[in-house]
Amino acid sequence: MNGLQEFANKNHLAASHFTAIGAFSRATIGFFYFSIKDYKRIEIEEQAEVLNITGDISLFQNDKRLRE
């Protein structure tokens, strides 16, 4: 949140919308198997999106912190 507020302050954003994604092209992911008490590893070697963030930035009650 501090990074978003700093970005909004620096760019004088009073009201805006943002979208961000995170992805990888090669990774080893896994999950814990309770029955064998070890991780099941899965190799992925293709482009995959793993994170999606959307949100809004707006002034709250004419908050001057975002305009400094």
Side-chain angles (χ1 to χ4, degrees), residues 4-59:
L4 286 174
Q5 186 171 355
E6 183 179 324
F7 179 83
N9 285 336
K10 183 178 180 180
N11 293 284
H12 308 289
L13 302 177
S16 58
H17 179 80
F18 64 90
T19 303
I21 62 170
F24 60 81
S25 58
R26 191 176 89 190
T28 301
I29 62 172
F31 60 93
F32 191 74
Y33 252 131
F34 286 102
S35 60
I36 62 172
K37 298 194 181 350
D38 198 7
Y39 286 91
K40 168 73 174 169
R41 289 167 177 77
I42 304 166
E43 298 288 330
I44 300 177
E45 299 210 16
E46 63 183 80
Q47 187 71 29
E49 181 181 322
V50 294
L51 175 70
N52 179 354
I53 302 172
T54 59
D56 298 301
I57 297 173
S58 64
L59 292 177

Side-chain angles (χ1 to χ4, degrees), residues 1 5 8-9 13-16 56-67:
M1 293 302 295
Q5 186 171 355
N9 285 336
L13 302 177
S16 58
D56 298 301
I57 297 173
S58 64
L59 292 177
F60 177 71
Q61 295 178 347
N62 204 21
D63 190 343
K64 293 183 180 12
R65 289 177 296 169
L66 293 177
R67 291 195 224 158

